[in-house]
Amino acid sequence: MLAKISRHILELSVQEQQDFVNSFDFILSDCDGVLWLALSPLPNTGRTINLLKSEGKKCIFVTNNCYKNDEQFLEKFKLAGIDSVKSEDVINPNKAIVMYLKKYKPEERVFSVNNHVANEVFRNSGIDIETLDVTDNLDTAALARLIKPEQKVGAVVIDINYNLNYAGLAKAYQYLLDKDCELIMGGSDTHILMSANMTTLGFVDFAKYLSKYSHKQPIALGKPSPRFGDIIKEMYNITTPKRCLFIGDSLSNDIAFGTVCGFQTVLVLTGTSTKEEMLVAEENLRPDYYADRLADFIELFQNIKLTNNNIV
Ligand SMILES: [Mg+2]
C-alpha cells in the first residue's frame, strides 16, 4: 500500500481544490491553535469560518477544553468575529459526559473529581453529582473518614482540574472498587497549552492512575477517543463520515481523532504540531491535507472563484 502523503491545500490544482471543497458538507474544527491562541484570535479566523458557512458548510466546533461553559465559548466566537454560533454548535467533553450519563446511567449519582466549570455544567443538566472539597490539613483518621463512600455512585468522572487533590483521587478509588461504578474521563491530552510560549502537564495520567489500581478501563469522552466521535455523529446526525472535514493543530489529538472517526483531515500549522513532525508521523497521525493557517481557505476559495469566472 502506498504511504499517505499530506498535501498542502494551496498546492492542489484548481480542479483538485474544487473537488476537495465539493467533498465535504461538514467542517468539524478544533478551537485552540486553530481559531485562536490563548486569548487572541488568529488573523482572519472570523472571515474564514463565515466564508465556509456562506459556501454551505455546516461548522461544528470540537474542543477538549472543559474549563469553559457555553456562555464563555460564545463570547470567544464573538470576539473572533465568527457569526451566529449557537451553543449546540460547540461540543466538548463536559457535554459528551452529560449525554453519556443520561443515556447509560440515568438518575444515577456520580462522583466528580472534575473542575468547577464542568461540575456546574453537570448540575445544570440535572446530573446528581458529589464532589469533595478539602480545606483542612488531613491526618490518616481524617482522610479515612473523608474518603468513606457515602452512597452508591454509577460513575467517577475525571478531566482537567487545577484543584485536583489526593483525597479526591482516594475517594474516587473507593467508589471504583464497586463493580458497577464506571470510570469516565474527558480528553487524553498529555500537555496543556497555557499561553503562546508556555505548556504544562495534562491530566490524562491521573485517569490512568485510577484505571490501573481499580482495574477499570476508562470510558474516554474527548479527543482522540472514537467514543467521543460516536457521540458527535449521533448528535449531528452524521451518517457519512467521509463527508466531514476535521481541522486541527495537533497530530496526536485532532488528526488521530479525525482518522479514527473516518473523517477527512487537515492539519493547520498555527498550534501544537509542526510540519516536520507531520512529515515523519505514523500513518494514522498523518493528515490528508495541511495548511499554514485556517485563513488559507480564503485563498483556496478565491482560486476557485477566479477560475470559474474566467471560464464564464
Ligand atoms: Mg488545538
Side-chain angles (χ1 to χ4, degrees), residues 125-188:
S125 307
I127 308 285
D128 177 17
I129 66 160
E130 179 191 325
T131 57
L132 182 67
D133 291 321
V134 182
T135 48
D136 301 329
N137 288 325
L138 297 173
D139 59 19
T140 307
L143 179 73
R145 273 196 307 276
L146 203 62
I147 67 173
K148 194 163 180 255
E150 289 167 29
Q151 49 180 291
K152 195 173 173 73
V153 305
V156 161
V157 177
I158 185 167
D159 202 341
I160 297 172
N161 176 6
Y162 305 147
N163 292 94
L164 185 71
N165 59 60
Y166 173 75
L169 290 170
K171 189 157 193 174
Y173 169 71
Q174 293 301 317
Y175 279 125
L176 287 166
L177 293 176
D178 177 346
K179 68 172 178 37
D180 299 324
C181 181
E182 290 185 341
L183 174 60
I184 299 176
M185 62 182 279
S188 310

Side-chain angles (χ1 to χ4, degrees), residues 288-299:
D288 297 306
Y289 304 95
Y290 72 103
D292 291 349
R293 58 192 73 81
L294 183 72
D296 283 354
F297 275 92
I298 297 177
E299 197 177 324

Side-chain angles (χ1 to χ4, degrees), residues 37-57:
L37 267 185
L39 298 176
S40 333
L42 285 156
N44 288 316
T45 288
R47 223 180 119 205
T48 313
I49 297 293
N50 295 340
L51 171 67
L52 287 162
K53 284 181 168 191
S54 73
E55 293 290 335
K57 309 302 179 190

Side-chain angles (χ1 to χ4, degrees), residues 9-287:
I9 61 167
L10 296 180
E11 284 168 10
L12 302 172
S13 69
V14 177
Q15 183 58 51
E16 286 171 329
Q17 289 180 338
Q18 177 76 71
D19 293 344
F20 168 57
V21 161
N22 291 342
S23 73
F24 57 88
D25 312 306
F26 278 90
I27 296 267
L28 303 177
S29 178
D30 175 41
C31 298
D32 293 282
V34 178
L35 307 178
W36 49 69
L37 267 185
L39 298 176
S40 333
L42 285 156
N44 288 316
T45 288
R47 223 180 119 205
T48 313
I49 297 293
N50 295 340
L51 171 67
L52 287 162
K53 284 181 168 191
S54 73
E55 293 290 335
K57 309 302 179 190
K58 164 88 181 152
C59 294
I60 296 159
F61 303 97
V62 184
T63 171
N64 273 359
N65 190 328
C66 57
Y67 251 95
K68 283 198 179 3
N69 59 29
D70 275 342
E71 212 173 295
Q72 292 162 327
F73 274 126
L74 295 187
E75 192 55 36
K76 291 273 285 187
F77 286 102
K78 208 167 140 192
L79 261 176
I82 303 173
D83 296 337
S84 55
V85 178
K86 297 190 281 300
S87 302
E88 58 265 32
D89 300 332
V90 186
I91 173 88
N92 71 348
N94 297 349
K95 293 185 182 183
I97 290 169
V98 168
M99 277 193 70
Y100 180 89
L101 290 171
K102 289 200 162 182
K103 189 168 177 181
Y104 297 106
K105 298 274 173 181
E107 313 294 323
E108 290 189 46
R109 190 175 166 88
V110 168
F111 180 67
S112 175
V113 281
N114 211 327
N115 67 72
H116 65 284
V117 179
N119 290 339
E120 194 182 283
V121 170
F122 300 153
R123 283 198 184 98
N124 290 342
S125 307
I127 308 285
D128 177 17
I129 66 160
E130 179 191 325
T131 57
L132 182 67
D133 291 321
V134 182
T135 48
D136 301 329
N137 288 325
L138 297 173
D139 59 19
T140 307
L143 179 73
R145 273 196 307 276
L146 203 62
I147 67 173
K148 194 163 180 255
E150 289 167 29
Q151 49 180 291
K152 195 173 173 73
V153 305
V156 161
V157 177
I158 185 167
D159 202 341
I160 297 172
N161 176 6
Y162 305 147
N163 292 94
L164 185 71
N165 59 60
Y166 173 75
L169 290 170
K171 189 157 193 174
Y173 169 71
Q174 293 301 317
Y175 279 125
L176 287 166
L177 293 176
D178 177 346
K179 68 172 178 37
D180 299 324
C181 181
E182 290 185 341
L183 174 60
I184 299 176
M185 62 182 279
S188 310
D189 307 57
T190 55
H191 293 81
I192 305 172
L193 193 61
M194 306 299 285
S195 64
N197 43 24
M198 186 184 180
T199 298
T200 191
L201 299 171
F203 280 73
V204 64
D205 285 273
F206 292 113
K208 287 184 186 167
Y209 170 64
L210 289 177
S211 170
K212 177 178 173 184
Y213 293 109
S214 66
H215 307 291
K216 294 272 167 76
Q217 190 64 32
I219 293 157
L221 298 175
K223 293 178 288 184
S225 165
R227 270 180 191 265
F228 187 47
D230 291 342
I231 284 180
I232 291 172
K233 287 172 188 169
E234 190 181 325
M235 266 183 91
Y236 300 102
N237 199 17
I238 293 171
T239 50
T240 316
K242 267 278 158 242
R243 300 282 312 166
C244 297
L245 183 69
F246 197 94
I247 306 176
D249 67 301
S250 158
L251 293 167
S252 61
N253 208 330
D254 300 315
I255 304 306
F257 179 67
T259 305
V260 80
C261 291
F263 303 143
Q264 298 186 66
T265 51
V266 175
L267 179 78
V268 290
L269 302 174
T270 42
T272 309
S273 301
T274 62
K275 183 177 174 182
E276 291 67 33
E277 288 165 347
M278 177 189 83
L279 293 174
V280 296
E282 289 170 33
E283 185 89 4
N284 68 319
L285 302 185
R286 218 173 295 156

